[in-house]
C-alpha cells in the first residue's frame, strides 16, 4: 500500500470563498483520483488526475468549479471554488499503485461551508 | 455506464455471528475488478477485499470472504466471527482498467453494519 496524507483535515469556510485541498503520497503513482462524499451519502468520483495532462472530469463536475493540479507523481491539489453550503462534504483523494490495480484512499478533508 | 446496488441500508448482528452483505452490479465490460471498502466513524476508507473478474476463485482475507457470481453479477461479502470493530459503513465498488490505466471507482450506496455486544 502507500501512505497518503491530505491537508487540511477539516475546515469551515464562508460562502463565496475557495479552498485548496492537498493530497500527498509517499511513492510515485500514475493515477490519482478525487471523490466527494456528501453527508450521509456514498462516494462520487469528481475527476481523474494524471501527471502531465489535464484532469478528466466526470459528468456534473466542471473545471471552473473544481480545478485540479497534478504537478508531479506524488502530489495533487483540488480547489473548491466559489463555495456554497451545498459544497459541504468530505473530499477524498485516492491513488492507484502501478500494477496494484487497487485504489487506496487518503484520510479525507471535511469541509463545512456556512 | 456501470452501476452498483447495495440493497441493505442497515444490518445488525450479535458479536461472533456471521453476516453477509449483498452487492449486485451491472456492466458490459468483461475485464473489471470489484472491491469492498469499510468506512468506520473516522471516515477513513479501508480496503477490505478485492476480486478480479477473470478469477473464478473467491477472494478471502482472514475473516472476510466473498461470493462472486459473475453470471449473476453478484458480489457478496461474508464476515465470519464478527467483532465490535467491524461496525462501520461497507461500500461495494467497481472499476475497469483501460489501456491508459485505472478508471475511477463506482460505489454502491453502502450498508451500515452494526455489531451488537
Amino acid at each position: 500500500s502507500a501512505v497518503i496524507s491530505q491537508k487540511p483535515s477539516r475546515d469551515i469556510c464562508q460562502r463565496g470563498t475557495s479552498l485548496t485541498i492537498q493530497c500527498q503520497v509517499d511513492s510515485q503513482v500514475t493515477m490519482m483520483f478525487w471523490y466527494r462524499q456528501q453527508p450521509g451519502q456514498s462516494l462520487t468520483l469528481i475527476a481523474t488526475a494524471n501527471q502531465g495532462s489535464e484532469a478528466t472530469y466526470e459528468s456534473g463536475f466542471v473545471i471552473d468549479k473544481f480545478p485540479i493540479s497534478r504537478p508531479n507523481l506524488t502530489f495533487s491539489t483540488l480547489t473548491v471554488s466559489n463555495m456554497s453550503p451545498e459544497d459541504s462534504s468530505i473530499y477524498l483523494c485516492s491513488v492507484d499503485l502501478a500494477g496494484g490495480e487497487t485504489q487506496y484512499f487518503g484520510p479525507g478533508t471535511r469541509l463545512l461551508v456556512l | 455506464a456501470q452501476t452498483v446496488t447495495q440493497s441493505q441500508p442497515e444490518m445488525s448482528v450479535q458479536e461472533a455471528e456471521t453476516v453477509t452483505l449483498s452487492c449486485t452490479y451491472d456492466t458490459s465490460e468483461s475485464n473489471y475488478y470489484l472491491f469492498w471498502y469499510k468506512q468506520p466513524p473516522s471516515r477513513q476508507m479501508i480496503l477490505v477485499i478485492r476480486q478480479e473478474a477473470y478469477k473464478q476463485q473467491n477472494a478471502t482475507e482472514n475473516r472476510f470472504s466473498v461470493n462472486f457470481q459473475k453470471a449473476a453479477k453478484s458480489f457478496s461479502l461474508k464476515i465470519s466471527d464478527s467483532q465490535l470493530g467491524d461496525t462501520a459503513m461497507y461500500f461495494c465498488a467497481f472499476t475497469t482498467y483501460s489501456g491508459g490505466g485505472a478508471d475511477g471507482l463506482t460505489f454502491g450506496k453502502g450498508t451500515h453494519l452494526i455489531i451488537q455486544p
Side-chain angles (χ1 to χ4, degrees), chain B:
Chain B
Q2 294 89 4
T3 59
V4 178
T5 302
Q6 293 179 251
S7 58
Q8 305 151 312
E10 185 171 289
M11 297 186 71
S12 180
V13 299
Q14 297 294 122
E15 192 176 7
E17 290 184 346
T18 294
V19 59
T20 299
L21 308 183
S22 301
C23 173
T24 58
Y25 60 94
D26 188 25
T27 183
S28 58
E29 301 287 339
S30 58
N31 184 26
Y32 54 88
Y33 300 80
L34 294 158
F35 308 87
W36 281 97
Y37 285 90
K38 167 184 177 181
Q39 188 179 45
S42 67
R43 300 299 187 187
Q44 173 74 55
M45 291 292 286
I46 301 167
L47 177 67
V48 175
I49 201 165
R50 66 189 285 265
Q51 174 80 43
E52 298 93 332
Y54 61 87
K55 288 189 177 179
Q56 293 186 343
Q57 185 173 5
N58 290 323
T60 62
E61 288 288 343
N62 301 312
R63 297 184 295 109
F64 299 89
S65 62
V66 298
N67 183 3
F68 175 47
Q69 301 291 327
K70 190 172 183 178
K73 295 181 180 175
S74 171
F75 182 62
S76 61
L77 174 69
K78 185 172 82 172
I79 305 174
S80 304
D81 185 27
S82 58
Q83 301 173 359
L84 297 179
D86 295 333
T87 293
M89 283 292 292
Y90 286 81
F91 292 99
C92 179
F94 169 103
T95 191
T96 55
Y97 278 73
S98 60
D103 297 323
L105 292 163
T106 299
F107 285 89
K109 292 185 181 295
T111 296
H112 185 207
L113 176 63
I114 301 168
I115 309 299
Q116 304 278 6

Side-chain angles (χ1 to χ4, degrees), chain A residues 55-71:
Chain A
T56 302
Y57 289 82
E58 297 299 304
S59 176
F61 298 97
V62 295
I63 187 170
D64 290 346
K65 177 66 174 178
F66 297 102
I68 288 171
S69 76
R70 182 79 200 274

Side-chain angles (χ1 to χ4, degrees), chain A residues 87-98:
Chain A
D87 294 319
S88 298
S89 299
I90 299 173
Y91 292 86
L92 301 103
C93 68
S94 74
V95 303
D96 180 75
L97 301 182

